[in-house]
Amino acid sequence: MGKYLYDDFDIERLVPGFCPPPQDTSRADRAALDAADAGMRRWVSQAAGPLVPGTDLHRTETCRMFRDTFNPYRPAVLDWPALDPAALARIVALPIWDIAVQTEGKARLRMAAYAGTVSNPDIRCALALNAWEENRHKEVLSRMVEAYGIQLAPVAPYALPGDTEWAYLVTGYSECIDSFFAFGLFEVARRSGLFPCELVETFEPVMQEECRHILLFANWLAWHRAHLGFWRRLRFEARVARAWAFLAWERIGLARAIDGDGDAAAPDNNFTLNGAQAVAAEAPTLRELLALCLQENERRFAGYDQRLQRPLTVPRMVRLALRLLPRGKTSAPARRAEGPN
């Protein structure tokens, strides 16, 4: 093991002063696992009054939420269930694994690089923990592809971003987009029964962790905006608009790649949209899929303090799309034939 697992990512070097959370090397019992899982899904601040973006209270409680909801699962002791030949073929055929590992590899580095520039110790520590958890996601995926013999394309060494704020903005907004659709697709996969329930259960903590990540990003964004003067705020909003335009263009490129018209190894596009038609025997209609994504997004955020900011842009766009889509059968794109990646 280790072909895709080990590299030189060092969070303590990138964010001096950050101490990674301690890791128990033993296998926790079911009660401990259930308690950790419940704890990462529900959190309400004990502070009274509104959490106004930009205030010390908002910052403190945002970072407290992220610390308190940490789940100490260890990728090294996750169980990878044995798969029958048909299930294994479906897993291997999903066109997502190269992009999956590369995306997490880049996300951890971009978040750590930005965290290293932040002077506020609360925010700095929360963003560093976010980067550490992204590295853990990469480890989960790397161990999975090793366990099931999934071959990945060679990848160049990950490079530190030159513009750390831009890299963090793009990464944060990318996760807001991709996690929203991933929540729905994960539920489609769970309901379809095409993948063993043990495998779905193994990935469940990773999915909820993504919810925490974008909750942190939304609140960092509100806090950061509140501390910018007029001209710096104008510059920042221009960067936000540019990030959305960049991500929209990137996803057009992804769609072309999936259709066979672009670069199949587009490494910057998040993997959660790639396998939409491969997780169920009968693909949902576009309306059904969007409605399910919206429902799952709301369910995953429901346990966190309602005074915290939520990512709103993608849910609002999807609600608008649902109002505009015809009520009849609006099918999602035809499912691709299964085959080797």
Side-chain angles (χ1 to χ4, degrees):
M1 177 173 288
K3 182 179 178 183
Y4 307 114
L5 185 57
Y6 300 108
D7 55 29
D8 60 356
F9 180 76
D10 184 352
I11 186 66
E12 294 175 86
R13 175 179 60 85
L14 293 167
V15 191
F18 173 72
C19 296
Q23 294 288 278
D24 184 358
T25 58
S26 63
R27 288 180 179 268
D29 59 32
R30 172 50 58 183
L33 291 173
D34 289 345
D37 186 73
M40 78 180 299
R41 296 169 191 275
R42 299 176 183 85
W43 184 88
V44 177
S45 170
Q46 299 304 305
L51 301 180
V52 179
T55 62
D56 289 346
L57 182 62
H58 172 249
R59 183 201 70 238
T60 300
E61 295 308 290
T62 293
C63 298
R64 192 191 309 278
M65 174 278 298
F66 203 69
R67 290 194 307 270
D68 290 354
T69 57
F70 172 75
N71 187 335
Y73 72 84
R74 277 185 59 80
V77 297
L78 291 177
D79 292 320
W80 298 107
L83 303 179
D84 63 56
L88 180 60
R90 282 193 293 272
I91 293 293
V92 173
L94 286 173
I96 65 175
W97 303 118
D98 293 282
I99 295 172
V101 175
Q102 292 177 37
T103 296
E104 299 295 354
K106 289 187 175 184
R108 62 183 182 162
L109 196 59
R110 292 169 176 175
M111 290 178 175
Y114 181 69
T117 70
V118 175
S119 59
N120 182 276
D122 281 346
I123 297 292
R124 179 186 178 92
C125 185
L127 297 183
L129 179 57
N130 195 161
W132 185 91
E133 290 181 0
E134 294 289 359
N135 186 60
R136 185 167 62 171
H137 290 185
K138 181 178 181 293
E139 185 180 348
V140 170
L141 291 165
S142 297
R143 289 184 181 278
M144 178 185 173
V145 300
E146 291 279 2
Y148 295 135
I150 300 169
Q151 296 299 309
L152 303 184
V155 60
Y158 302 108
L160 281 169
D163 185 337
T164 57
E165 182 188 75
W166 167 254
Y168 182 55
L169 273 177
V170 168
T171 301
Y173 279 121
S174 180
E175 288 203 329
C176 289
I177 296 168
D178 296 318
S179 294
F180 177 87
F181 292 103
F183 297 155
L185 294 173
F186 190 76
E187 180 63 12
V188 170
R190 188 191 68 79
R191 294 179 183 183
S192 74
L194 289 182
F195 302 105
C197 61
E198 297 89 351
L199 184 58
V200 174
E201 183 178 337
T202 297
F203 267 102
E204 173 57 36
V206 176
M207 297 301 297
Q208 191 63 31
E209 219 161 51
E210 290 293 356
C211 180
R212 290 172 58 254
H213 290 180
I214 61 179
L215 185 63
L216 175 65
F217 177 72
N219 283 274
W220 165 83
L221 195 63
W223 177 83
H224 185 68
R225 279 178 164 137
H227 284 265
L228 296 176
F230 179 77
W231 294 110
R232 291 181 63 203
R233 175 70 180 269
L234 282 181
R235 177 181 176 274
F236 183 74
E237 296 305 338
R239 301 200 99 193
V240 168
R242 180 182 163 215
W244 279 108
F246 171 80
L247 292 170
W249 181 255
E250 188 181 60
R251 276 144 186 77
I252 292 171
L254 172 61
R256 290 165 57 192
I258 296 303
D259 287 339
D261 297 328
D263 179 6
D268 258 341
N269 297 299
N270 196 283
F271 60 93
T272 53
L273 302 181
N274 294 20
Q277 305 309 313
V279 296
E282 181 179 351
T285 67
L286 180 57
R287 171 176 285 280
E288 290 168 345
L289 180 59
L290 292 179
L292 184 59
C293 289
L294 195 61
Q295 174 185 312
E296 285 297 295
N297 184 72
E298 292 173 352
R299 181 181 69 83
R300 288 189 179 274
F301 278 107
Y304 303 109
D305 198 310
Q306 296 300 311
R307 293 171 292 175
L308 293 173
Q309 306 292 305
R310 262 69 168 166
L312 298 176
T313 303
V314 177
R316 284 172 175 169
M317 292 174 65
V318 168
R319 288 189 183 96
L320 176 61
L322 287 172
R323 286 198 295 268
L324 296 176
L325 281 172
R327 292 280 178 181
K329 293 284 282 184
T330 305
S331 298
R335 181 181 174 185
R336 296 183 59 174
E338 293 181 353
N341 190 12

